[in-house]
Amino acid sequence: MANEKEEKAEIERLRREINQHNYRYYVLDSPVVTDAEYDRLMKRLAKLEALYPELITPDSPTQRVGAKPLESFGTITHTIPMLSLANALAKEEAIDFDAKIKRLLDMPLNGQIEYVAEPKMDGLAVELVYENGVFIKGSTRGDGYAGEDVTSNLKTVRSIPLSLSPSAKALSTLIEVRGEVFLPLDSFKKLNSEREKAGEQVFANPRNAAAGSLRQLDPKITAGRPLDIFCYGIGSVEGASFQTHFESLEFLKKTGLKINPLVKVVTGIEAVLDYHGEIEKKRDSLNYELDGVVIKVNNFSLQNRLGVISRSPRWAIAYKFAARQEETVVREIIVGVGRTGALTPVAMLSPVIVGGVTIERATLHNQDEVERKDVRVGDTVVVQRAGDVIPEVSYVVKEKRPHNAKPFKMPDACPVCGAEVEKDGALHFCTGGLSCPAQLQQSIAHFASKRAMDIDGLGEAHVVQFVDAGIVKDVAGLYSLTKDDILTLERWGEKSAENLLDAIERSKHPALDRLIYALGIHGVGEHVSKVLAGAFGSIDKLMTADREALLNIREIGPEITKSIQDFFSGAENAKVIEKLKKAGVEFKEVKPIEKGVLSNKIFLFTGTLSEFSRDEAKARVEAAGGRVAQSAGKKVDYVVAGGDPGSKLEKAKTMGLKIISEDEFKTLLEAGALKTM
Ligand code: IVH
């Protein structure tokens, strides 16, 4: 079949092209195609591979994710041990290192050694093994002799090529590459804030996050964490040879592996010291953590002459940066009150400069955390910053504790409103509800926030101003604000007051799920709000839903059920809802989705829908028991085509899938409609 031959050739072509785009995007950071075009190529490849599964190779770009979870990790022995580095903590130690090398090599002290100076990334060391240019296995450093087999997880790291560049393939039959896997700082912050929101333990620093992510038994979890790598060396190699370390790095670069662009050849110790200073200055502008620079003798024959002592090479040293940990004293532990009333102890510190930034406070999270670290007022503590992450108290220097220091205890009354404090799990809560000014301010700020009612230009500082001045007493109060009210406050002018009032007016027609989310019911985040909107169709029905009805909804458990019922049974909340209605806030009704009406049906969306965001559409399908696919496939039951549909629609047509309009989708969501389709 000519067609078959063509398609097989296309598979090859697509792989080459996708690998090239991957390289441009993840290694060079300069993509030449749009994400949409990249997706198109990937989908085309996946489709062809589905037609010819026998042609799927382990290094195909489609094979990055998808490996099954493991029971435990296997072990991989390193052909050549992975050594560790001796440290230099001060300039003098770096100078000694250079002097010692010259002595060992019988060189005059005024001679100059050629070094390669590299950033020392703070992640975890791995070894990647390529056979005939194909990535076949990868492992952690472990004890230096053998590490864990994390091949499937490493495959999910986009900057690790699954096959080396074609020109390099021919040069080397086997190459073991060493490098540092790390989690970029922006991804680290995002991951931690997601974990915090989900009530999960946050990672202490990016290195722990990278290690935790790479050591997952389920590669799908690793795939969701955008790990990255910089390669810095070679273990055993066949078919290629190098005179210098720098040459070997240049080779790795040519093969398509990622090398830190700040690596530099420097001659003499003075140049090493300058490099250290330069990189330390750059440190805060980088999107990954560095803890120093690594200095390596460039010439391999000199390296061999110098050899190894107690598992560290004599030819290299880690010249560390000043620690980002400092000692200071806890002057006071104050207790903050959040939107939900949760109390957070915060250590107020004697100001101290940590890694160039003055630190005066650090969150202690909750009572359990304070007890675990046993932090007391008067204690000397070590505080640390990981990147520009929020500073934290690392540990207490117990020897320096004043003898009268008392253990911290959460107050019995809310420090802001005086209401009683209740304990729930690890957290303490103020029971004052919205009569507590702290809770009130934050609830209003939440209500107005972008993903809730989206009142443009109403920030937290303004809310504090309005609440303090007594002109807004609950969320509904925002809708009775007048220009005169606002103009009595500082920093407001005619124009800014008018803009705010316009924005408040514009917020009066929220989608039902946003309105539910805006109410700030404990445990009801954006997703749950969508599920509730889909299940009940109106605030009134949600308000009157009994326990049974709530528990009947997939994803809604007893805790959320209780919190919803508590919320609506509060007289204050019912009043506020009444007031919102009176103020003209539209309480939209949508047709509730009958549970299970789309049971096991798979939907694919393409183009823009006029009445739903993608998230909403997804939540509604899921609330009715269906699922949403990301790409066209045989299992898709309905392709919903919105305005300006993408290439998915074309593909769906060629595959003969059932295509429906947004209106038909809406009908389908209604109970019983399925039977007529
Ligand atoms: S070279 C014998 N180069 O630091 C040379 N290591 O204690 C061994 N690291 O385990 C490593 N950046 O995890 C080298 N540019 C770099 C590095 C680097 C980070 C880590 C690596 C190693 C540890 C050394």
Side-chain angles (χ1 to χ4, degrees):
M1 273 197 297
N3 196 14
E4 182 172 332
K5 205 169 156 205
E6 273 166 29
E7 288 184 324
K8 287 181 176 173
E10 190 183 350
I11 290 184
E12 284 299 317
R13 218 170 40 243
L14 281 166
R15 285 185 189 154
R16 270 200 306 276
E17 199 176 338
I18 292 167
N19 282 340
Q20 191 57 28
H21 292 317
N22 248 330
Y23 177 69
R24 301 269 333 188
Y25 190 96
Y26 293 103
V27 179
L28 300 185
D29 199 13
S30 75
V32 286
V33 286
T34 59
D35 290 359
E37 172 63 6
Y38 180 85
D39 289 348
R40 195 187 64 76
L41 296 170
M42 275 299 274
K43 278 176 196 148
R44 174 77 187 148
L45 176 60
K47 186 183 165 199
L48 291 175
E49 287 185 344
L51 289 175
Y52 305 100
E54 71 281 5
L55 295 187
I56 300 178
T57 54
D59 64 335
S60 168
T62 57
Q63 302 302 299
R64 284 202 181 264
V65 199
K68 292 212 170 57
L70 299 170
E71 295 276 316
S72 66
F73 293 115
T75 303
I76 291 182
T77 306
H78 307 302
T79 330
I80 298 179
M82 291 179 77
L83 302 174
S84 59
L85 294 170
N87 286 336
L89 300 173
K91 185 175 163 190
E92 294 68 36
E93 288 173 317
I95 295 173
D96 285 351
F97 162 76
D98 176 63
K100 188 166 168 199
I101 286 181
K102 288 180 206 157
R103 211 172 49 241
L104 289 166
L105 293 174
D106 279 331
M107 267 179 68
L109 262 182
N110 59 1
Q112 300 221 310
I113 303 276
E114 189 175 88
Y115 293 107
V116 176
E118 307 175 0
K120 183 172 188 301
M121 284 73 65
D122 198 10
L124 74 156
V126 297
E127 179 166 78
L128 314 171
V129 181
Y130 287 88
E131 255 176 36
N132 297 315
V134 177
F135 176 60
I136 56 153
K137 60 181 176 180
S139 53
T140 60
R141 176 176 179 277
D143 62 3
Y145 299 101
E148 283 171 328
D149 180 345
V150 285
T151 309
S152 301
N153 291 343
L154 286 168
K155 277 187 160 184
T156 70
V157 179
R158 302 291 165 154
S159 48
I160 297 180
L162 297 183
S163 58
L164 300 179
S165 70
S167 58
K169 272 186 186 166
L171 288 174
S172 165
T173 45
L174 174 110
I175 187 158
E176 295 173 353
V177 182
R178 274 112 190 243
E180 194 83 349
V181 166
F182 59 93
L183 191 63
L185 287 177
D186 53 359
S187 313
F188 166 70
K189 279 182 247 169
K190 192 163 161 256
L191 175 63
N192 258 359
S193 82
E194 283 165 6
R195 289 174 77 89
E196 189 149 17
K197 271 191 211 138
E200 293 169 46
Q201 180 134 23
V202 297
F203 288 109
N205 53 50
R207 177 168 24 85
N208 288 4
S213 303
L214 195 61
R215 298 188 63 259
Q216 287 289 340
L217 290 167
D218 183 355
K220 289 210 175 56
I221 299 182
T222 313
R225 314 260 174 93
L227 293 169
D228 202 346
I229 192 169
F230 279 125
C231 299
Y232 55 64
I234 289 180
S236 126
V237 52
E238 285 168 14
S241 67
F242 314 101
Q243 305 288 314
T244 65
H245 173 60
F246 194 70
E247 227 177 76
S248 74
L249 293 182
E250 294 271 84
F251 176 79
L252 293 184
K253 203 159 142 184
K254 264 194 256 147
T255 66
L257 287 153
K258 193 164 171 177
I259 310 296
N260 193 311
L262 300 170
V263 171
K264 199 169 160 186
V265 176
V266 292
T267 306
I269 190 65
E270 278 303 322
V272 165
L273 301 180
D274 288 349
Y275 180 83
H276 183 270
E278 255 169 58
I279 302 293
E280 189 160 21
K281 268 202 214 109
K282 279 216 172 80
R283 188 183 188 189
D284 275 330
S285 65
L286 300 171
N287 192 22
Y288 48 88
E289 278 266 67
L290 293 186
D291 58 347
V293 298
V294 182
I295 309 301
K296 302 172 181 172
V297 170
N298 192 16
N299 190 297
F300 278 140
S301 65
L302 294 186
Q303 282 192 9
N304 285 335
R305 275 174 61 195
L306 290 161
V308 172
I309 183 166
S310 67
R311 299 180 65 192
S312 300
R314 281 206 195 86
W315 44 263
I317 198 155
Y319 178 9
K320 294 288 197 70
F321 292 141
R324 298 221 217 200
Q325 282 196 331
E326 295 294 340
E327 278 189 11
T328 185
V329 173
V330 178
R331 295 199 302 200
E332 197 187 346
I333 297 178
I334 62 161
V335 176
V337 185
R339 170 168 70 86
T340 58
L343 303 188
T344 310
V346 179
M348 304 304 287
L349 309 163
S350 294
V352 58
I353 298 174
V354 185
V357 175
T358 305
I359 308 294
E360 286 175 278
R361 49 195 286 146
T363 173
L364 296 169
H365 303 287
N366 55 50
Q367 169 84 37
D368 288 357
E369 187 77 0
V370 184
E371 278 171 20
R372 194 174 64 74
K373 291 184 175 158
D374 190 16
V375 183
R376 305 182 185 188
V377 174
D379 266 343
T380 295
V381 290
V382 171
V383 287
Q384 68 175 16
R385 265 179 69 221
D388 47 352
V389 180
I390 309 158
E392 61 166 16
V393 170
S394 182
Y395 59 90
V396 172
V397 186
K398 292 268 167 68
E399 305 79 61
K400 296 192 182 170
R401 168 169 288 167
H403 53 267
N404 58 352
K406 291 190 195 55
F408 168 78
K409 201 179 145 295
M410 274 289 188
D412 297 326
C414 169
V416 178
C417 72
E420 199 184 321
V421 167
E422 257 176 19
K423 189 167 193 289
D424 185 5
L427 298 179
H428 287 73
F429 289 91
C430 155
T431 53
L434 293 182
S435 63
C436 172
Q439 290 190 51
L440 178 63
Q441 276 159 16
Q442 292 179 60
S443 305
I444 298 175
H446 168 78
F447 180 85
S449 66
K450 183 139 196 69
R451 307 189 71 110
M453 301 295 275
D454 192 16
I455 304 181
D456 201 18
L458 184 62
E460 246 180 279
H462 304 133
V463 174
V464 172
Q465 213 182 7
F466 296 158
V467 171
D468 280 353
I471 57 174
V472 174
K473 297 198 170 70
D474 55 37
V475 294
L478 290 172
Y479 294 96
S480 38
L481 269 178
T482 64
K483 196 155 112 187
D484 288 343
D485 284 341
I486 302 176
L487 288 177
T488 58
L489 302 174
E490 268 177 45
R491 299 186 302 276
W492 286 94
E494 289 274 336
K495 190 79 203 133
S496 56
E498 272 166 23
N499 286 346
L500 178 65
L501 290 173
D502 283 349
I504 292 176
E505 191 57 34
R506 281 198 306 273
S507 74
K508 282 184 173 170
H509 309 282
L512 178 60
D513 61 293
R514 279 177 171 251
L515 182 62
I516 297 174
Y517 173 61
L519 295 176
I521 307 167
H522 198 29
V524 179
E526 285 180 90
H527 178 69
V528 172
S529 301
K530 284 178 185 129
V531 172
L532 292 171
F536 293 102
S538 79
I539 286 273
D540 289 332
K541 293 211 182 79
L542 174 63
M543 280 173 80
T544 49
D546 61 15
R547 189 178 138 81
E548 202 60 16
L550 285 160
L551 283 175
N552 249 330
I553 303 165
R554 205 166 62 154
E555 298 189 65
I556 307 293
E559 272 182 40
I560 297 182
T561 296
K562 179 173 182 315
S563 125
I564 294 172
Q565 297 209 300
D566 287 353
F567 184 88
F568 290 117
S569 61
E572 277 302 313
N573 292 330
K575 253 191 250 161
V576 169
I577 288 171
E578 240 356 89
K579 277 204 241 169
L580 283 173
K581 276 186 192 164
K582 281 218 185 86
V585 174
E586 190 186 358
F587 279 48
K588 280 189 192 158
E589 289 207 20
V590 291
K591 275 237 163 70
I593 305 157
E594 187 176 290
K595 191 169 167 264
V597 78
L598 302 182
S599 181
N600 301 324
K601 295 286 172 206
I602 301 184
F603 284 77
L604 176 72
F605 292 96
T606 173
T608 351
L609 303 180
S610 59
E611 281 189 43
F612 309 88
S613 71
R614 277 287 168 89
D615 283 351
E616 272 163 348
K618 181 164 186 268
R620 301 198 113 219
V621 167
E622 286 174 355
R627 280 194 294 132
V628 172
Q630 294 309 319
S631 58
K634 274 193 239 126
K635 291 196 180 136
V636 170
D637 296 295
Y638 299 102
V639 179
V640 185
D644 210 2
S647 59
K648 280 186 209 166
L649 185 63
E650 286 310 307
K651 204 172 295 171
K653 278 185 188 155
T654 52
M655 290 180 78
L657 301 176
K658 183 165 181 66
I659 297 163
I660 58 171
S661 67
E662 182 174 352
D663 277 343
E664 285 170 307
F665 170 61
K666 269 167 47 193
T667 324
L668 205 48
L669 283 172
E670 290 162 21
L674 197 62
K675 290 178 213 118
T676 62
M677 293 292 291

